[in-house]
Amino acid sequence: MEHRFDSKVAIVTGSSSGIGKAIALRLAQQGAAICVVADRNTQGGQATAEEIRRNGGKSAFVQADVSVQADCERITAEALDAFGRIDILVNNAGITRTTPLDRLSEELWDQVLDTNLKSAYLMARQVVPHMLARGWGSIVNIGSVHATRTMPGMAAYAASKAGLCGLTRALACELGSRGIRVNCVLPGTIDISLHNRANRPVDPATWTPRANNAQVMQRNGSPTEVAAAVSFLASDEASFTNGATVTVDGGLTNLLRDR
């Protein structure tokens, strides 16, 4: 695979499994040194880092809660200690909760918004100065199609992902003239994702309209397909792509608009 990220260093949050792991592995295959970040699934995070090294890449693992400023400071410091620079930040860490408004507590709301949205702000605050010092940087936020089309019970999750799109646009405007691009990927139903922690087959009927053609392409996406979009946006091949939201959902949101 082409080494488009030779000499680059990437931090990938939430990279112990699923989409985050696929992103970390793809960027590593293309030459980047990877700072793997995970909170609760430390075993998975260590396994991702080990797989990168086993395949000839460079990696370091940091256990941290990205919703906490001190932990974000530590992630940045450890990435710099390990690799000396930070070029790419992928804000992938996230949680989802399906909870009707009458049962959506303030605590749960804060947990989802802090993990999915506040963490991206905190991590950007930490890494941007180091990107500015080099005059180059790429931030890719992992949102969700719930940012634009959602369903009952997803108020906190949809709000967090819509906010992530807004943060992407604002930072792209603020940082683009100084060499830092900020973009967002909106995955649809992806196997082995937040919807499928236990590696069970995803039932589209639990997330999409209850119809045989709920998926335009008649299948769910894979983490590697999301990783491919992230790899492009992080690279110089996307040098004029800034403030964009790239939907990776097999056309699902187009179908939902027609219903």
Side-chain angles (χ1 to χ4, degrees), residues 101-129:
L101 182 63
D102 60 357
R103 298 204 300 272
L104 181 58
S105 66
E106 182 178 2
E107 180 183 6
L108 183 55
W109 172 273
D110 288 344
Q111 183 184 14
V112 173
L113 270 289
D114 286 354
T115 303
N116 296 2
L117 179 57
K118 181 183 176 183
S119 63
Y121 145 75
L122 290 174
M123 285 301 305
R125 285 251 305 174
Q126 292 302 313
V127 305
V128 162

Side-chain angles (χ1 to χ4, degrees), residues 12-31:
V12 184
T13 69
S15 45
S16 62
S17 64
I19 292 173
K21 180 174 183 176
I23 292 168
L25 293 177
R26 187 176 185 92
L27 297 183
Q29 288 168 354
Q30 295 181 322

Side-chain angles (χ1 to χ4, degrees), residues 13-257:
T13 69
S15 45
S16 62
S17 64
I19 292 173
K21 180 174 183 176
I23 292 168
L25 293 177
R26 187 176 185 92
L27 297 183
Q29 288 168 354
Q30 295 181 322
I34 308 296
C35 179
V36 175
V37 180
D39 183 13
R40 296 183 179 180
N41 187 7
T42 56
Q43 184 176 0
Q46 290 167 343
T48 299
E50 175 57 32
E51 184 171 346
I52 290 170
R53 290 191 292 269
R54 190 166 60 245
N55 291 332
K58 297 179 180 179
S59 67
F61 170 68
V62 181
Q63 185 278 325
D65 180 349
V66 289
S67 69
V68 176
Q69 178 173 322
D71 279 22
C72 294
E73 293 172 355
R74 181 166 53 82
I75 292 166
T76 304
E78 293 196 24
L80 290 170
D81 286 345
F83 305 117
R85 58 190 289 170
I86 298 170
D87 304 284
I88 299 164
L89 168 65
V90 181
N91 286 309
N92 172 75
I95 59 173
T96 184
R97 300 289 186 269
T98 304
T99 308
L101 182 63
D102 60 357
R103 298 204 300 272
L104 181 58
S105 66
E106 182 178 2
E107 180 183 6
L108 183 55
W109 172 273
D110 288 344
Q111 183 184 14
V112 173
L113 270 289
D114 286 354
T115 303
N116 296 2
L117 179 57
K118 181 183 176 183
S119 63
Y121 145 75
L122 290 174
M123 285 301 305
R125 285 251 305 174
Q126 292 302 313
V127 305
V128 162
H130 302 284
M131 293 176 173
L132 289 174
R134 292 183 174 274
W136 193 98
S138 180
I139 299 173
V140 183
N141 297 318
I142 308 302
S144 166
V145 293
H146 280 276
T148 58
R149 291 291 186 274
T150 191
M151 60 181 283
M154 301 298 286
Y157 186 73
S160 71
K161 295 303 186 178
L164 199 56
C165 290
L167 178 67
T168 297
R169 292 191 296 269
L171 292 184
C173 293
E174 182 175 339
L175 302 171
S177 64
R178 292 184 280 173
I180 301 174
R181 295 178 299 104
V182 187
N183 293 289
C184 190
V185 174
L186 307 183
T189 307
I190 307 296
D191 283 335
I192 318 176
S193 70
L194 292 174
H195 308 284
N196 187 24
R197 288 292 191 193
N199 294 338
R200 293 186 297 271
V202 175
D203 177 6
T206 66
W207 186 84
T208 59
R210 294 177 183 273
N212 291 332
N213 63 345
Q215 294 287 3
V216 175
M217 297 179 68
Q218 298 296 293
R219 68 176 178 86
N220 294 325
S222 73
T224 57
E225 289 172 311
V226 179
V230 173
S231 174
F232 167 71
L233 290 173
S235 75
D236 281 330
E237 293 177 76
S239 57
F240 202 56
T241 304
N242 188 35
T245 54
V246 177
T247 304
V248 183
D249 72 343
L252 176 63
T253 50
N254 295 308
L255 175 65
L256 294 179
R257 288 189 182 99

